[in-house]
């Protein structure tokens, strides 16, 4: 896996074809791979923000790795490592990301939607915490009765 270069993510406004709004928080997704961008558009279709006139609270840039690695059969939790100036490095078996100190910018190196979804969760958790909220994951069992 290629390490994300530099001490922190790139900054500055950029236009993105895909904007997603979750819990009132809008993130611009910049993805080099057109097929992946289309997949993310379908996955997040219920959360797409209008392209025109919508400002973004955050930005995530996904770049392809210099050499591809197959995704692991079983995913482990990402490794989190604090960096200089409050940055945060998020790393998995086949991806790496650097988040800005305020968690509003992320540069991700990886392939597929898993790195995007993982880093989005970290960024969203931070945004919700700043507003007094909490990101939780829940599941519930279902029982089916066959007649």
């Amino acid at each position: 896996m290629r390490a994300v270069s530099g001490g922190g993510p790139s900054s500055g406004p950029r236009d993105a074809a895909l904007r997603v709004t979750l819990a009132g928080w809008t993130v611009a997704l910049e993805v080099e791979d057109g097929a992946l961008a289309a997949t993310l558009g379908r996955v997040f279709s219920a959360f797409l923000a209008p392209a025109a006139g919508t400002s973004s609270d955050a930005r995530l840039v996904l770049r392809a790795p210099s050499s591809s690695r197959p995704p692991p059969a079983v995913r482990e939790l990402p490794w989190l490592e604090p960096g200089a100036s409050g940055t945060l490095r998020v790393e998995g078996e086949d991806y790496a990301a650097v988040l800005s100190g305020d968690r509003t910018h992320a540069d991700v190196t990886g392939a597929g939607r898993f790195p995007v979804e993982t880093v989005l969760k970290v960024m969203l958790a931070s945004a919700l915490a700043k507003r007094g909220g909490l990101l939780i994951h829940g599941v519930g069992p279902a029982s089916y009765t066959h007649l």
Side-chain angles (χ1 to χ4, degrees), residues 108-134:
V108 184
T109 302
R113 68 184 245 199
F114 186 83
V116 172
E117 292 174 352
T118 300
V119 174
L120 273 179
K121 289 175 193 172
V122 173
M123 295 173 76
L124 178 59
S126 178
L128 290 172
K130 289 176 186 173
R131 297 186 331 209
L134 176 67

Side-chain angles (χ1 to χ4, degrees), residues 60-84:
L60 184 151
V61 179
L62 177 68
R63 293 182 177 85
S66 58
S67 61
S68 63
R69 302 172 93 186
V74 176
R75 293 274 184 188
E76 294 187 14
L77 291 173
W79 302 285
L80 304 177
E81 181 181 340

Side-chain angles (χ1 to χ4, degrees), residues 5 13 28 48 51 53 57 59 86 94 102 108 114 121 127 143:
S5 62
L48 293 179
D57 301 302
R59 181 170 61 101
D94 59 345
D102 63 3
V108 184
F114 186 83
K121 289 175 193 172
S143 174

